[in-house]
Every structure is written in C-alpha cells, then in structure tokens.
C-alpha cells in the first residue's frame, strides 16, 4: 500500500526491515511476539499522532490501521509457516490462502476494529494447515487483537453464504492477503457465478430488512446520543448502499456508482463527505475511549469535538457545533439512502408486497404529476420548474394523495432550491400553499419533515436554517431543535384529531371551543427560531417573528399575537413548575401578564405541545396537574375578576370541604383542628391532605413523629405527610432523609400550627420519575424513621449516593440565584437554578436552616441535568428579605454549599 494512502509514512507504521532482521536470527516465538508488540505500539502511536494533527483525515487513517494490521497478520503467518512449521514442499491439499473479510477486507479499520480472517483451503483442512492457523492466531491473540476467524473450503463458503446473509456480506468484501493466490481467485469466481448471480433481489431485501430492524433498535429519528456505526444515518447505512451496489453492479469503489446513474456527482461528493466525517468521528471515539466504543455519549461528544478542533463561539459550545455537523451528515446519508433505493425500485429489484400490488387503490394525482411505484413523480421536469411555486405545490399534492414523493422529484427540488427567492416567499399563492400545508390536511408534520430534509423549509423561511440539525447539549431535549419543532406541531395535530382527549382534556376542550389555528401553528413553528445565539431565544425569536409572520401572509393583529406567544412561550411552564400556584399572587401575576382568555387558551395549548415535543417521557401527570390548575384558576380570575382569588375565599372553601369530609368527628375536635392552622395552610393543600394531617394530629404524642405515605396517582408521585413538634432545621432533616432513600422531591410544603407542631408535605418520585410502588413503602418508611431518629447521620451517609454519572459530567450548568419580593405577598422567593444531583436539595435547605431562614414551601422543577429549586421563605422574625446585604450573604452561603457538594459528587 503506497504512502499516499496512509496518514504517515509506511516505515513509521511498521518497519518490515527490522522484522526481517529479527527472522534472520531464527528467534523463538516469544521473541517474535515481543518484537511485534513493540512494533504494534509504535505504529499505533505514529498513526494516532498523525491523526491528531490532521483530525478530519479519516480515509488515510483507516487505511493506515489496515496497513498495520496487514503487516502484523503477515508477520504472524510468516513466523508460523517458516519458523514454527516449515513445509518446503507442500502438497496440493496443503495449499492455504489467508483473506481479510468484512470491514478489514474493505480496507477500513478504526483503532479498535475487529480483525476478521478467512483461512481458505482446497479440501478438508490438513494437520499442517491446522498447526499454521493455530500458531498464527495465538500470535495475533498475544498482540491483543480481536480476531474473528473461520477455516473453510471454497465449497464451505458457498454453502454457508447461501444459508446466512451475514456470512455472504462478509465474503462480498473479501481481500486476498497472503498464501495461495490461485485458491483466492477460485473463491472469487465461484462466489460471483454460483452464489451472487441471480440472487440480487433476495440479497437487497435481506439488507433492507436488516436496516429496518437496526433502526427499530437504535430509534427511527436522529437521537441525541447516536450510535456512529449502527444508528440512523450512520456508517452501516452507507455500507449497506455500497454492499448492494457491489452485489448488483460488481463495483469495487463507491465512485463507480456515479457513471451507472445511481448517484449524481454532487450526491457522490455528499456520500464521501459523510463517510469521511463519520469515520473520523468513529476513529476519535475509539482512540479516546481506548476500546471499540460506537455510541457518542454526552461525555464522548465533548471529547471528540475537542479532538476534532471545534471551539466555543457565538454563544454556542464546541460540542453543539460538532453535533450539528454530525446530524447534517446523518440526514444526508438518509437522503442518499432514499435516492439509491428508489433507483433499485425502478429496476424492479425491490419487490412491492404482493397484497399491496393486488388490493391497493392507486391514488390519482393532479395534472403535471404521475404515480411511479406508488410514489408521486413529476411528469416533465422543465414544465415543473417553469413555475417555481411547484416546488411548494408538490408537498401539498403529496399530503392530499397520501403518497411519498419520488426520489427523482426530491433530487429535482434539492438541486433547484436557488429558485426560492424573496419574490416567491412574498407571493400570496406561496403563502396560501404553505399555510394550507400547516392547517388543511391533518398531518402537517409529514410535509414539514420532508421539506426540512430537502432544505425547502430553510429555503422558504431562511431564518429557520440556523436551527436545522442544531443540537442542544443537555439531557432534557431528546431531539435537535428543528425536529423538536416538528414534534410539537405533530402533537398539536394529534390533539386536533381527538387522539389525546383522555391525556389532555383541557387542551382538547380549548381546541374544540375554537382558537385561531393559524396563529397557533405559526407560533409553534417559530417558537424556538431564536435558539443558538448568545441572546435570550424568546426575545430574539419574537423579533424574528416580526419579519417572518407578515411574509407568511398573517394580518398585523395575528402577527402581534404570534410575537407575544413566542416572546412568552415559556411563561406558563415557568409559572406552573417554578412557582407556588396555590399562592393567589402567582395566579394574579400570571393573569396580568396574559390579560385575555384568548391569549391564555393559545398559550396553554402551545405550552402543552412544547413540553410534549421535548421527548417521549417529558410530559407526565405532575406537569399536567400543574398546567391544568394554573389554567383553570387564571381563567376564573380573568372571567370573574381578581377578587375570586383572595385567601379568605380559598380558606373558607377549604375549611368547609374538611368539615364535610370529617362529618363523623365530634364538634370540639373539628373546632380544634380548624383553629390550629394559619391561612397559608388552607390555601396550599388539597382537602385530601387536610384530612390526612387532621388524623395524624388528632392523637399525636408530645414528642412523637408521625407520617403517612400515599401514592398520589393524579400527580405521578407519592405524597409523604409528616407531623412532629416544631424545631429549627426540621425541613432540612426531612430533605436529607428523603435523599438517603433515593427519593426525588418534586414539591414540598411546610406549615406550622398554633400549638407548636409542624405539618410538612412532600411529593416524591423514585429514580425513574414514578410514584413509589406500594410494596416499597414499608422500607421507605423505615429508612425515614431511622434517619429522623438520628440513627443515620445524613451528611456522612449521603456521600455515597450523591454522585454524578460519568456520561453526565460533561454538562455545564451555571448557577443563578435570584431573590424576588414581588411574586408573593408574604414570602421572599429564592430561586436557585443550578446543576442537579441527589444531595442538592438537602445541602440548600441545611444552609438556609443554619442561617435561621424559615422555609414555607419548596417548588422543584427538573430539566434533565438542570434543576430550579424555588423556596418561599421568611426570616426568623417572619419578615421578607428586603436587605440587599442579607440577600448577598445568603447567596454567598448557598453558592458555597453548591460548590462544595459538586466537588464531593465529582470525586
């Protein structure tokens, strides 16, 4: 293999002369292994150093690893044949050929790739050949190579290849290494004539079935921790294209697919660029991890981005830029796959299912289109391109007929995106077509996804381009920003089709009552369009709306509403998850911001779709209950007036509800119970919790600690109620006890009674975000009792639990602490936005308790690795924290506790 294909000089990779000199001394096996180990180490270091200096040079690197492996295999075989088992006059039956198969046969090796070898013999293996093979393999195993091997005759290869497509694929890429060349040529000829010929269709269908199964395993969409080799748009997809091309057209290089008409020159360039990028990524992955790692986990993404020379810029981390490039290449692989497969379809190589051919009604396409293989194709390219609006119309026709667009048509669209200009973008007919795609056909996500993949969405709305394939480097978002946007629109379409009525009764009823659909769809399409820049994406997005919405044909009144929705698209989610919605002030402030029921309806639906579009498990009953409660209370305030929210009203209703629930209690006992609680208690809890606390308090002893653990299925959490004599720091002790049992606190309330007790309610979930199973509650209760009794010292015991997982260490979450004296009439609201970890809440509450801060309640909102802990607090005199110096002192102590805990968790 000449130097030009290698990342560094061949002599730096393996010094053949030095090995020949060693052989001349007639060394023993251990000396050979020692020499090869040193040569292998030096060769690997030379390749790695050259690759680090030129981190995108994938092809010369994979070929360098192949060359090094060839040298090591040859050295091992030569040692076995000449030193260990010399046989100067082999018989015809003792002929032996060694072939590389699979990826090694293709000449593409990453640093930790397997070495797949085929030892080929003419007849049944002879004792001499068996000894040579065994010695060769032992030397290679001593070098710690992962060797996959088989010893077969030509006849074995044909028989096994006919039975197993994996074996057949491996042999498709065989490469003769050493030994009897005539034997290797015989295999080559027989594979082509006796195995491959005439079986093209079954091979293609087997490879496509493998691909579909792989995508089901790895996920149909582009996921944020992709598998470079097996994932959608990964190397295996590209290799499948080449295998099929080689099987049918007998090509030896992907470039040969261009003259055959399977790819254009531009598509082939995209193929090479994607292949180079993915191989470079895979090689860096192997080098950094020191093993055959194929998944780009979060920690690996940071390391690979650094190795490839990406740098932070313009408010975006290096890792986010690297992953955007990764997803752009993966999407390109998806496009190429579609084009290639449809070309095969056109040649009738991939069979349409028989039932489909017999019973499927062929949809009728409008003039200018034709149906080919059940796909929407263009009748005449020149006529189609004569009216550039056809670049949009075809997506509407595809939705109308329910057909997929033929890849030849996709090719045409992709290569003529330059026709989409400002004249077209402001053309009323173009505006109508685009809005109809969103509003008219019931499945807008299908058109948007195809438009996005072909670059048409970014061509029509250029402001959309920066968020295409943009990854947000956190654990909260499961999708890239463009895919998240399309998922949100899919959610809205599902609500409109009445598919989510049971899960989303409020959002469903809002849409049934009627809203401005155009405003809602456009707001969802543009809600994250400002992402990826240093400024607040909501503010920037609202500014972008002022330009884009009129261009889409919206009237000024609708533009204003869309702009408001994009500017405040996080408001309802933040209010519901980061504030105490039982506090009338929260609802009052939110109602003032929203102003009208019309806006409230639109914002509520947008919020639900936005949260559900983040990932498959982001929406849960807890969030549903919060959003629903905030919506209903705010609607009531907007319709009946703000006075409907007063504490007195709420308190009277709550006391009345409790009396009804405890109708069998003696009047005196009821009076005692009602009189012992302050106003905040009555407004902050549901009557079910009031009943539990009443029963716990009724017979409590002087120094007794009593608790009640109960699954709150409406909220996807377990409600833990505690009653005990009031002491400073009780709340912190409880958070410590819950952290020790591995419980995640999602909400907490703390109230004191006039007769010296504290009533604390916590809503907790297990590590998977679910309520505790009833069978686990007794153990949970016992652990909490031991901790509260002082048998377990929380600070010491929590050290083992308070750890950050390795793959999560790469996330950066800056700490922000704010003090708000306006959001509540009675309390100062301290909001701590920082990196989440198991012991954080305990550290924060312990710090506040040590500073004599009274915590009335805590609201916890988690977003992947980020958490916002909000505390409603007073000082020891029952006053708010107005003094700036007191606020700064508290902030300093909280930051110190966060830093100390983070260092402990990182050890």
């Amino acid at each position: 293999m000449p130097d030009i294909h290698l990342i560094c000089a061949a002599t730096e990779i393996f010094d053949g002369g030095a090995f020949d000199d060693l052989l001349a001394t007639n060394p023993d096996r251990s000396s050979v292994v020692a020499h090869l180990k040193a040569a292998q180490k030096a060769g690997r270091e030379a390749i790695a150093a050259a690759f680090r200096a030129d981190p995108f040079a994938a092809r010369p690197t994979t070929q360098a690893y192949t060359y090094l492996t060839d040298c090591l295999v040859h050295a091992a075989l030569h040692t076995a044949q000449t030193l260990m088992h010399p046989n100067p006059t082999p018989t015809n039956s003792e002929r032996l050929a060694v072939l590389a198969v699979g990826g090694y046969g293709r000449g593409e090796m990453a640093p930790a790739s397997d070495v797949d070898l085929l030892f080929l013999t003419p007849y049944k293996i002879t004792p001499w050949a068996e000894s040579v093979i065994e010695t060769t393999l032992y030397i290679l195993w001593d070098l710690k190579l992962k060797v996959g091997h088989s010893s077969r005759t030509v006849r074995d290869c044909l028989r096994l290849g006919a039975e197993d497509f994996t074996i057949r694929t491996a042999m498709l890429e065989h490469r003769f290494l050493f030994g009897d060349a005539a034997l290797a040529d015989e295999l080559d000829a027989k594979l082509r004539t006796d195995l491959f010929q005439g079986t093209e269709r079954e091979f293609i269908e087997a490879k496509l079935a493998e691909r579909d199964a792989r995508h089901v395993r790895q996920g149909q969409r582009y996921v944020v921790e992709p598998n470079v080799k097996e994932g959608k748009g990964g190397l295996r997809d590209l290799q499948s294209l080449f295998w099929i091309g080689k099987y049918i057209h007998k090509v030896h290089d992907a470039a040969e697919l261009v003259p055959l008409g399977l790819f254009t020159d531009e598509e082939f360039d995209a193929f090479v660029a994607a292949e180079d990028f993915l191989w470079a990524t895979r090689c860096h992955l192997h080098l950094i991890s020191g093993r055959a790692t194929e998944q780009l986990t979060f920690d690996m993404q940071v390391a690979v981005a650094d190795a490839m020379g990406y740098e932070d810029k313009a408010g975006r981390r290096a890792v986010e830029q690297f992953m955007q490039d990764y997803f752009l290449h993966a999407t390109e692989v998806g496009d190429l796959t579609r084009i290639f497969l449809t070309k095969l379809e056109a040649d009738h190589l991939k069979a349409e299912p028989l039932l489909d051919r017999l019973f499927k009604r062929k949809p009728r396409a409008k003039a200018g289109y034709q149906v080919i293989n059940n796909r929407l194709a263009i009748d005449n390219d020149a006529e189609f391109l004569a009216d550039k609006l056809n670049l949009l119309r075809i997506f509407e026709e595809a939705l109308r007929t329910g057909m997929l667009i033929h890849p030849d048509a996709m090719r045409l669209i992709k290569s003529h995106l330059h026709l989409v200009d400002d004249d077209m973008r402001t053309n009323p007919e173009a505006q109508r077509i685009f809005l109809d795609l969103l509003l008219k056909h019931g499945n807008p996500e299908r058109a948007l996804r195809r438009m996005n993949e072909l670059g048409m969405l970014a061509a029509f709305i250029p402001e959309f381009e920066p968020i295409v394939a943009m990854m947000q480097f956190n654990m909260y978002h499961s999708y890239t920003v463009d895919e998240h946007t399309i998922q949100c629109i899919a959610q809205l379409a599902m609500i409109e089709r009445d598919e989510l009525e049971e899960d989303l009764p409020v959002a469903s009823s809002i849409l049934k009552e009627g809203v401005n659909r155009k405003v809602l769809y456009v707001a969802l399409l543009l809600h994250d369009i400002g992402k990826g820049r240093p400024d607040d994406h909501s503010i920037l997005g609202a500014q972008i709306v002022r330009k884009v919405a009129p261009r889409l044909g919206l009237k000024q009144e609708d533009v204003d509403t869309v702009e408001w929705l994009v500017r405040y698209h996080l408001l309802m989610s933040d209010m519901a998850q980061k504030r105490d919605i039982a506090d009338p002030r929260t609802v009052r402030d939110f109602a003032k911001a929203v102003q009208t029921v019309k806006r409230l309806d639109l914002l509520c639906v947008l919020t639900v779709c936005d949260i559900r579009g983040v990932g498959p498990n982001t929406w849960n009953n807890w969030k549903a209950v919060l959003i629903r409660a905030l919506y209903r209370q705010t609607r009531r305030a907007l319709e009946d007036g703000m006075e409907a929210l007063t504490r007195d009203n709420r308190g009277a209703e709550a006391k009345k509800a409790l009396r009804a629930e405890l109708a069998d209690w003696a009047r005196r006992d009821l009076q005692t119970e009602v009189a012992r609680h302050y106003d905040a208690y009555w407004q902050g809890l549901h009557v079910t919790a009031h009943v539990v606390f009443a029963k716990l308090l009724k017979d409590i002893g002087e120094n007794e600690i009593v608790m009640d653990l109960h699954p709150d299925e409406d909220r996807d959490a377990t409600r833990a109620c505690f009653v005990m004599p009031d002491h400073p720091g009780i709340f912190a002790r409880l958070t410590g006890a819950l952290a020790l049992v591995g419980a995640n606190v999602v909400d907490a309330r703390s109230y004191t009674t006039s007769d010296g007790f504290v009533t604390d309610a916590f809503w907790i979930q297990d590590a998977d975000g679910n309520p505790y199973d009833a069978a686990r509650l007794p153990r949970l209760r016992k652990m909490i009792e031991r901790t509260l009794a002082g048998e377990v010292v929380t600070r010491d015991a929590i050290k083992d639990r308070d750890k950050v997982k390795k793959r999560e260490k790469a996330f950066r979450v800056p700490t922000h602490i704010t003090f708000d004296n306006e959001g509540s009439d009675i309390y100062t609201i301290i909001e701590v936005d920082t990196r989440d970890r198991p012991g954080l809440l305990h550290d924060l509450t312990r710090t506040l308790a040590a500073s004599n801060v009274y915590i009335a309640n805590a609201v916890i909102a988690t977003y992947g690795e980020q958490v916002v802990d909000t505390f409603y607090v007073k000082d020891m005199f029952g006053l708010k924290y107005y003094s700036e110096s007191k606020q700064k002192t508290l902030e300093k102590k909280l930051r110190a506790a966060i830093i100390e805990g983070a260092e402990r968790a990182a050890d």
Side-chain angles (χ1 to χ4, degrees), residues 476 478-479 491 495 500-508 572-573 576-577 603-629 631 714-716 765 768-770 862-863:
Y476 182 58
S478 298
Y479 307 112
Q491 290 292 329
I495 302 170
L500 299 172
E501 205 165 355
E502 201 175 305
D503 290 346
L504 306 174
V506 170
S508 298
M572 190 170 197
S573 171
Q577 295 184 77
L603 183 58
C604 180
V605 177
L606 185 141
T607 302
V608 169
C609 295
D610 191 13
I611 296 172
R612 288 178 69 91
V614 165
N617 303 310
T618 312
W619 181 261
N620 55 28
N621 281 353
W622 179 258
K623 287 173 186 158
V625 165
L626 294 175
I627 301 277
R628 234 171 265 161
Y631 173 80
D714 283 349
R715 296 186 170 207
D716 276 347
Q765 293 175 334
D768 298 321
N770 299 316
T862 308
Y863 306 90

Side-chain angles (χ1 to χ4, degrees), residues 130-147:
E130 197 168 353
S131 301
V132 168
I133 293 167
E134 191 176 285
T135 302
T136 302
L137 289 172
Y138 273 116
I139 293 172
L140 296 175
W141 286 330
D142 284 344
L143 297 176
K144 300 288 188 287
L145 291 173
K146 281 188 290 179
V147 184

Side-chain angles (χ1 to χ4, degrees), residues 158-173:
L158 296 173
R159 178 175 53 80
L160 293 166
E163 294 168 2
D164 187 320
F165 281 105
T166 307
I167 293 172
R168 196 186 302 190
T169 308
M171 287 192 297
L172 178 65
E173 302 201 283

